[in-house]
Amino acid sequence: MQDISSSLKSAGKTIGFIPTMGFLHEGHLSLVKRSKELCDATIVSIFVNPTQFSPSEDLTQYPRDIEKDNKLLLEQKVDYLFYPDADEIYPENFQTFVTVNHITKKLEGEFRPTHFKGVTTVVNILINCVMPDYAFLGQKDAQQAAVIKQMVNDLKIPVNIVVCPIVRETDGLAMSSRNVYLSKDERKDALALYKALRNANKMIDEGERRVSLIISEMMTIIEKLKSSKLKYIKIVESKSFETVEELKSSNEYYILIACKIGNTRLIDNELIKVE
Ligand code: AMP
């Protein structure tokens, strides 16, 4: 991979990189499209990263379809697919990990304490392999994007991070590889995450600034469902990811939600600009 990237660079080409875990959907492809607009060459990686799953999570069941992914990437005219084996990324005697402090401790990090260490380690390794000028990430994983930006800044990794908007199904459900786990009824219930976010958005548009009230309305929508197990709903300042109690004018916030529908853990969020 490094040899390919070096020759692209010596030919004067800029490289755009999209790290994924495969089972690609329109959300992933939107990142590919953005890369193709901005960069001369686009490289996608598919790697289901074992170190970001805890022993109780779905590493072995995580959906995979490399043939279909390959076809989709060919249709998009992606230049290279980087598809390493786990033992190429983590050979025997591997012993170096990257940890970002503070921002990784809350929200997702509270529920998945080892998750971000796996993410930052693998993204750092993948960036070292691909040597991209730009890396494209989805706002779908807003905290992950913030953690990766923090790592890139702190370690002075020479790559520009571009965060692209969430792609949704026509009814509003955020696209995710994990949506395939949902039964027909759960698929209907999963829409509650989007409904709760829309409701919060409407309250804020109508002038509500008290976070506790906004969140309690969201909770009512989610907790009505028998299939739901809410993990968290938080409103955080968009850069620091610090929670707030009241929304202030001219500020940007994320409303973040994590919820299990049946056995499937879903996350969603919305970026709010308060006028
Ligand atoms: P994953 O394969 O789930 O690790 O995701 C790879 C990249 O695609 C991450 O940067 C995700 O944030 C992004 N992504 C996943 N789902 C979506 C979506 N619905 N819209 C936009 N980006 C997404």
Side-chain angles (χ1 to χ4, degrees):
M1 190 67 257
Q2 284 169 337
D3 286 348
I4 289 169
S5 288
S6 296
S7 45
L8 288 168
K9 279 172 185 284
S10 19
K13 295 195 169 161
T14 54
I15 299 174
F17 174 46
I18 299 101
T20 82
M21 299 208 298
F23 211 70
L24 303 177
H25 50 66
E26 283 300 324
H28 297 113
L29 299 183
S30 72
L31 307 180
V32 169
K33 285 173 193 151
R34 191 78 192 103
S35 171
K36 290 193 67 79
E37 283 165 11
L38 273 181
C39 301
D40 301 320
T42 292
I43 300 174
V44 174
S45 67
I46 295 182
F47 182 62
V48 183
N49 175 35
T51 63
Q52 72 189 68
F53 290 79
S54 78
S56 64
E57 290 178 344
D58 57 344
L59 173 64
T60 51
Q61 297 103 295
Y62 195 83
R64 294 163 168 88
D65 190 345
I66 190 64
E67 308 263 297
K68 184 172 169 220
D69 289 349
N70 200 19
K71 192 169 159 271
L72 287 171
L73 296 175
L74 282 170
E75 277 167 20
Q76 296 296 324
K77 300 193 168 55
V78 160
D79 297 271
Y80 293 94
L81 164 60
F82 181 41
Y83 181 50
D85 284 335
D87 59 4
E88 291 176 283
I89 299 296
Y90 302 114
E92 234 178 81
N93 198 33
F94 181 91
Q95 41 187 307
T96 307
F97 287 85
V98 181
T99 47
V100 173
N101 282 328
H102 195 61
I103 188 171
T104 58
K105 300 282 189 283
K106 44 198 156 193
L107 300 154
E108 286 297 285
E110 222 172 280
F111 290 85
R112 310 176 72 193
T114 57
H115 172 68
F116 285 122
K117 182 177 165 191
V119 170
T120 43
T121 300
V122 81
V123 170
N124 201 334
I125 296 169
L126 293 171
I127 285 176
N128 287 341
C129 295
V130 174
M131 304 189 291
D133 299 283
Y134 292 84
F136 297 86
L137 307 174
Q139 186 201 309
K140 166 77 177 16
D141 299 275
Q143 189 181 9
Q144 172 174 288
V147 168
I148 291 171
K149 275 187 180 169
Q150 184 74 42
M151 171 183 79
V152 161
N153 274 329
D154 290 349
L155 299 184
K156 307 194 190 331
I157 301 174
V159 65
N160 297 294
I161 301 293
V162 182
V163 181
C164 303
I166 301 176
V167 177
R168 299 180 178 280
E169 303 287 355
T170 40
D171 63 1
L173 178 69
M175 289 192 184
S176 162
S177 308
R178 287 191 169 99
N179 290 349
V180 72
Y181 297 145
L182 299 167
S183 70
K184 220 171 155 202
D185 287 341
E186 288 168 350
R187 169 65 183 79
K188 274 188 211 141
D189 288 353
L191 206 53
L193 278 75
Y194 181 62
K195 277 192 197 141
L197 287 168
R198 288 280 82 208
N199 191 70
N201 209 317
K202 183 164 166 274
M203 286 175 80
I204 295 165
D205 269 356
E206 287 167 5
E208 185 55 69
R209 296 290 177 264
R210 291 165 296 180
V211 166
S212 59
L213 284 183
I214 299 167
I215 290 181
S216 89
E217 290 290 318
M218 292 179 75
M219 286 171 76
T220 311
I221 295 173
I222 301 286
E223 287 174 341
K224 257 202 321 232
L225 301 168
K226 277 212 186 80
S227 63
S228 75
K229 270 185 233 99
L230 185 60
K231 300 295 167 184
Y232 62 79
I233 297 177
K234 290 268 157 73
I235 301 190
V236 301
E237 199 277 318
S238 68
K239 296 224 159 51
S240 65
F241 270 69
E242 296 296 342
T243 47
V244 292
E245 282 177 11
E246 193 162 320
L247 305 180
K248 301 224 158 61
S249 302
S250 321
N251 276 311
E252 263 189 19
Y253 302 94
Y254 277 115
I255 310 176
L256 299 149
I257 177 163
C259 181
K260 264 188 148 182
I261 299 289
N263 285 321
T264 306
R265 191 177 188 283
L266 300 176
I267 56 170
D268 200 351
N269 70 80
E270 211 162 299
L271 184 62
I272 302 285
K273 290 177 193 152
V274 179
E275 299 300 323

